[in-house]
Amino acid sequence: MWELSHACHCPLIGVGLPLNGLRKLVEKVTGGRVLHDDYDIHVGTVSECALRTPVAEAVQKELERRYVQHIQRFRAAKTTEQVEALWTAAVTAGDVAGAFWAGLTHPRCTVSLEEKMCRDIHMVQHQAGACARADINKFNAVVLDNARLERETTRLQERCNALTQEKQLEAERQDALLMSARTALIAKDAEIAQLRAELARVQAAVPELDTRERLAERVAQMELREQSLRAQLAELKTARPTPAPAPTAAPVIEIVPEPVSPAPVRLENRAILCVGGRSSSIPVYRNMIERVGAQFAHHDGGLEDSSSQLDASLAAADLVICQTGCISHSAYWRVKDHCKRHGKRCVFVDNPSMSSLVRGLQEAATEDSVPD
């Protein structure tokens, strides 16, 4: 170390030994804590290396220990050109600290090569400083970006925690609702089981309960049917007309007896149109007219059926029974006008009842105008 030129000491110590390592080395040699700053320690060490001092020997030993691999690699060089080639490769690779020490202490290192190495290390230090400044700028930008990302991460974490808490509360609410629904279902199942048990007990206590219920329902239906038939019989008895002698040319009219009420006359193969009437009475009208051998047709008088269909129905009918209380005024006048123009028999009935229909059929049967 002390045999090198003084111009080599500064770059060699500055590049070869880190500041912390240099401070520890000087404190170890001096046996105490050095209170000087890094610059003073560097300058003092450079001055001590001009001669063979304990500090110079310690620096020599530290460099030999630290860069033993570089020394072994340069030891293979046998000429100055080979040493220069190894140094150039080290500069290109950016590994100059160990190569600088190994090249300067190589036996084939000349003064010109030493000067070249000092110039190269000087430029490398400039480049290292520029790179360090660029790295510092990048580092500062990274620090700022890292702080921004930390703030964003903190905000996202807070939002995530809030959403997690909200979802947890919603899950707890849903669990409570589910538990309530399960409790209500269990209560209903228990109630159903209790009712089934009660039903089974009642069925066991009353034998043939289903048969009795069906019979009771059937009896109720028969009673309603009997009341309806009695009312129909009373109405027919009240509305029974006095029979009149049939004309010579009149059609054959027969009274068909019924078990409950007297039957109207028979009008075989005649088309009878009933205009108007209650919709609930239409099946009864149809049954009575078809039972006397006639063909039944109905038009509601324009309440629901189209009025345009009325003319066609009137043209196809042999006898028209008009329920005047259950048709429109226009349908009434249309029926009356059609029957007058075509000489067709028309019986007008004021009361839309079954007895009035019977009287209308009997009046029609006694008239000579009914075609054969």
Side-chain angles (χ1 to χ4, degrees):
M1 182 68 181
W2 46 87
E3 293 176 357
L4 298 175
S5 63
H6 186 66
C8 298
H9 293 159
C10 179
L12 182 59
I13 295 173
V15 174
L17 297 176
L19 294 175
N20 292 335
L22 181 61
R23 179 180 290 274
K24 291 180 180 180
L25 187 146
V26 173
E27 290 178 350
K28 181 178 180 181
V29 173
T30 58
R33 183 177 181 183
V34 179
L35 300 178
H36 299 285
D37 57 12
D38 294 336
Y39 178 77
D40 292 337
I41 293 176
H42 173 76
V43 173
T45 305
V46 170
S47 299
E48 290 291 326
C49 289
L51 300 174
R52 188 172 183 173
T53 61
V55 173
E57 292 179 353
V59 170
Q60 169 87 18
K61 186 181 297 184
E62 179 64 20
L63 290 175
E64 290 289 326
R65 183 192 66 80
R66 184 180 293 269
Y67 301 114
V68 61
Q69 295 181 356
H70 296 80
I71 295 173
Q72 291 177 358
R73 186 167 66 250
F74 271 76
R75 189 174 296 170
K78 302 302 181 180
T79 63
T80 303
E81 289 76 11
Q82 293 177 352
V83 175
E84 183 177 0
L86 290 174
W87 167 250
T88 303
V91 172
T92 304
D95 184 18
V96 296
F100 190 53
W101 167 251
L104 290 176
T105 56
H106 195 277
R108 299 299 180 184
C109 182
T110 62
V111 175
S112 60
L113 180 58
E114 178 180 324
E115 183 179 357
K116 180 180 183 304
M117 293 175 65
C118 289
R119 290 197 305 269
D120 291 340
I121 201 68
H122 181 78
M123 296 307 299
V124 168
Q125 287 177 331
H126 280 298
Q127 293 176 359
C131 293
R133 287 191 297 273
D135 291 340
I136 289 174
N137 293 333
K138 291 181 180 180
F139 176 77
N140 293 333
V142 169
V143 169
L144 293 176
D145 191 52
N146 183 62
R148 182 184 62 81
L149 292 176
E150 286 182 354
R151 291 193 299 270
E152 184 69 17
T153 302
T154 302
R155 186 179 64 82
L156 293 176
Q157 186 65 36
E158 292 176 354
R159 181 182 178 186
C160 182
N161 293 336
L163 291 176
T164 302
Q165 186 176 3
E166 181 180 353
K167 294 298 182 182
Q168 185 177 0
L169 294 176
E170 180 66 17
E172 292 176 356
R173 189 179 69 84
Q174 294 294 336
D175 290 341
L177 292 176
L178 180 59
M179 185 62 65
S180 177
R182 287 178 177 175
T183 303
L185 180 60
I186 293 173
K188 287 187 178 297
D189 290 341
E191 183 179 359
I192 292 173
Q194 183 179 359
L195 292 175
R196 286 179 177 174
E198 183 68 18
L199 178 60
R201 186 183 64 79
V202 173
Q203 290 177 347
V206 182
E208 300 180 355
L209 180 59
D210 295 338
T211 304
R212 293 186 180 184
E213 290 179 350
R214 289 195 298 270
L215 291 176
E217 183 178 358
R218 181 62 178 169
V219 169
Q221 294 177 356
M222 295 299 294
E223 289 179 352
L224 292 176
R225 177 63 176 167
E226 181 183 0
Q227 292 177 2
S228 175
L229 292 175
R230 287 182 182 276
Q232 183 178 356
L233 178 60
E235 185 178 1
L236 290 175
K237 287 181 178 180
T238 303
R240 178 183 299 173
T242 302
T248 304
V252 178
I253 301 176
E254 298 179 359
I255 304 298
V256 180
E258 281 189 35
V260 178
S261 61
V265 295
R266 297 181 60 85
L267 300 173
E268 293 87 348
N269 299 324
R270 298 293 187 267
I272 299 176
L273 173 64
C274 182
V275 182
R278 290 190 293 264
S279 59
S280 60
S281 303
I282 301 304
V284 179
Y285 295 168
R286 182 186 298 275
N287 186 28
M288 291 182 62
I289 291 174
E290 290 179 351
R291 197 162 58 243
V292 300
Q295 298 177 359
F296 176 79
H298 176 259
H299 193 281
D300 64 1
L303 298 178
E304 294 182 1
D305 297 336
S306 174
S307 299
S308 61
Q309 298 177 359
L310 181 58
D311 293 335
S313 299
L314 290 170
D318 297 323
L319 173 64
V320 180
I321 298 177
C322 182
Q323 305 279 349
T324 58
C326 302
I327 62 173
S328 63
H329 293 289
S330 61
Y332 171 79
W333 290 110
R334 182 177 295 182
V335 170
K336 189 173 182 179
D337 180 68
H338 179 87
C339 293
K340 183 178 180 181
R341 285 188 290 105
H342 293 84
K344 187 169 296 186
R345 179 61 175 164
C346 180
V347 178
F348 294 94
V349 180
D350 296 333
N351 185 13
S353 63
M354 186 172 58
S355 59
S356 300
L357 179 62
V358 172
R359 286 195 301 270
L361 291 175
Q362 289 177 347
E363 291 177 6
T366 60
E367 294 292 336
D368 295 336
S369 60
V370 178
D372 293 335

